[in-house]
Amino acid sequence: MAAYTLNINKKKTKIDAEPDMPLLWVIRDVAGLKGTKFGCGMAQCGACTVHMDGQAVRSCQIPVSTISKKAEITTIEGISEAGTLHIIQQAWIEEQVPQCGYCQSGQIMSALALLKTNPEPSDEDIKGFMSGNLCRCGTYERINKAIKKAAKNLKA
């Protein structure tokens, strides 16, 4: 066991963990933030997507010992402000994206990363960027619509 201090959702979080413990399990089991999901454990499905320093990363494959003390980690719980849903979360609700909902926190975190780098994505941009996030319910068309709606609302 080793002691680490991580900046998760703009809060310094002190944890004790094995150096090879993946960030996913630190977030879920140590920090108690259950929104980030375990999917495949191989960084292939996107369910575990969080942001590190503004970039979408797969938390299931990042050992806690490799994370810089300065790194800013943002989970799905950290994107809303003062209890108000983020525009992308609101678009997800309005477009009725989730069915089972299991992959949706990872989908939202990836979509948010896309919109930060490309505020007006085309259908092809969305398909390409989001291709690493799997949804077994097949809500891809609704995800696309929600991303487009969020892009429009972020611009307004």
Side-chain angles (χ1 to χ4, degrees), residues 21-43:
M21 179 181 268
L23 176 59
L24 169 64
W25 300 119
V26 170
I27 290 168
R28 289 184 55 80
D29 295 346
V30 181
L33 300 169
K34 303 294 186 183
T36 304
K37 305 297 185 202
F38 173 78
C40 67
M42 301 181 301

